[in-house]
Amino acid sequence: MAKFATLTQDQTRSIKLLGLPLVYALLLLAVPLGAIVLFSFWTQDFMTVDTTFTTANYREIYDSPIYGLLLQRSLMVSGIVTAVTVLLAYPVAYFISFHVHPSKKSIWLFLITIPFWTSYLIRVFLWKVILGYNGVINSGLLQLGIIDEPLTFILYNVNAVIITLAHAFAPFAILPIFVVLEKIDRSLLEASQDLGESKFSTFLRVTLPLSMPGVVGAVLIVFIPTIGDYVTPELMGGAGGKLIANMIQTQFLQLNNAPLGAALAIVAMLCVTAISLIFVFLNRKYLRGRT
């Protein structure tokens, strides 16, 4: 009986500890998501919302090529940004973990987080200054005599969006990879080399597989938010660099068609979820095959 009472007290304490975070998650995550799903099955005529259940919004998305084009472009941009960011972040994280003295690692991590001290919007505008027609890159190349006229393909297109997003999300990729690399037992690397493996072979067969959880985390942290980013495409993309998030923003704030915007958001979310789950499944299958 006493044991049962103790168990009940523990359960009560656990419920109290989890109660507030659960309510917080429901109010700020589940309820808004449920509202978006519900809205996607309604229709709106300017200020009047018709709550009759309908799949007209999803049929319009399927029938209109523009939405599919924007979604494909968004997935392509997010994929390229993720690949570029993770490929550049891994060597940085590896260098800090394996080649920087332990007493100086905190300084390096501090330097990596410095961009967070400024507003994301300010960083985007700084990239406009760097990539602009009379910006830093074009002015420098003109003075060096490398080009005769300013480059036009580095701003107000998809290339500018990719460059800006890759820079903005770089710290989010470096930090999880660094954390996993720090947890790798160095004796495993020494044992591999004692058995005749080269440093490069040790990296491929030991370090890289053990660091894959950090790589997966970095990929998901970068890939998922970039789909929903509309500030960077709006400021850097020009007419040919708009993404699905810009169309969602247009439907909600300019065309006053919240149900269609909600449906677009649900479709984009489902695509991102499916791609993320497939990536995680393939990664687990790869790691299982390595073992």
Side-chain angles (χ1 to χ4, degrees):
M1 191 72 178
K3 183 178 180 181
F4 178 76
T6 303
L7 182 61
T8 304
Q9 292 176 0
D10 293 339
Q11 290 177 341
T12 303
R13 190 180 300 110
S14 300
I15 292 174
K16 290 181 179 179
L17 290 174
L18 295 175
L20 186 59
L22 180 61
V23 172
Y24 177 85
L26 288 175
L27 291 179
L28 297 184
L29 296 176
V31 173
L33 181 60
I36 291 176
V37 173
L38 186 62
F39 242 82
S40 68
F41 292 103
W42 294 348
T43 56
Q44 183 172 357
D45 183 14
F46 194 58
M47 296 299 294
T48 304
V49 177
D50 185 359
T51 58
T52 305
F53 181 87
T54 178
T55 59
N57 295 315
Y58 292 98
R59 291 198 302 271
E60 182 176 349
I61 294 173
Y62 179 79
D63 294 334
S64 301
I66 182 64
Y67 301 125
L69 177 64
L70 288 174
L71 185 58
Q72 291 176 12
R73 183 189 296 166
S74 300
L75 293 174
M76 179 197 70
V77 169
S78 295
I80 295 175
V81 169
T82 302
V84 171
T85 305
V86 173
L87 288 176
L88 294 178
Y90 195 100
V92 176
Y94 184 90
F95 174 78
I96 298 174
S97 180
F98 285 91
H99 298 286
V100 174
H101 193 273
S103 62
K104 297 181 179 179
K105 289 182 180 181
S106 58
I107 299 177
W108 279 81
L109 295 177
F110 170 76
L111 294 175
I112 290 172
T113 58
I114 282 181
F116 293 125
W117 292 20
T118 60
S119 168
Y120 177 73
L121 194 60
I122 293 177
R123 282 180 277 159
V124 174
F125 275 110
L126 287 176
W127 273 108
K128 290 191 70 172
V129 174
I130 295 173
L131 301 176
Y133 189 80
N134 296 316
V136 176
I137 293 179
N138 279 324
S139 298
L141 294 176
L142 285 171
Q143 291 181 1
L144 293 174
I146 298 177
I147 58 177
D148 297 327
E149 57 183 14
L151 303 175
T152 59
F153 65 86
I154 57 176
L155 186 61
Y156 298 126
N157 51 40
V158 174
N159 298 327
V161 175
I162 293 173
I163 293 172
T164 307
L165 288 176
H167 168 262
F169 284 92
F172 293 103
I174 294 173
L175 295 178
I177 297 174
F178 169 78
V179 170
V180 174
L181 289 174
E182 281 290 279
K183 294 181 179 180
I184 295 178
D185 189 352
R186 272 30 178 192
S187 62
L188 296 176
L189 309 182
E190 296 174 359
S192 175
Q193 295 184 23
D194 290 340
L195 293 174
E197 297 288 350
S198 64
K199 289 185 178 181
F200 182 71
S201 179
T202 298
F203 170 78
L204 292 180
R205 303 185 64 178
V206 181
T207 307
L208 184 59
L210 291 177
S211 64
M212 284 307 295
V215 174
V216 172
V219 168
L220 296 180
I221 290 173
V222 175
F223 179 75
I224 294 174
T226 51
I227 285 286
D229 191 298
Y230 71 91
V231 175
T232 302
E234 185 69 26
L235 296 176
M236 306 290 292
K242 302 296 184 182
L243 304 181
I244 191 66
N246 300 104
M247 178 58 70
I248 295 173
Q249 185 258 359
T250 299
Q251 295 294 335
F252 271 98
L253 300 182
Q254 297 181 20
L255 301 181
N256 207 26
N257 193 351
L260 181 56
L264 287 170
I266 294 298
V267 171
M269 184 182 66
L270 291 176
C271 291
V272 172
T273 302
I275 293 174
S276 300
L277 291 176
I278 292 173
F279 174 77
V280 173
F281 172 77
L282 293 177
N283 178 73
R284 292 184 62 182
K285 187 176 181 180
Y286 164 77
L287 292 179
R288 194 177 294 117
R290 297 284 293 185
T291 58

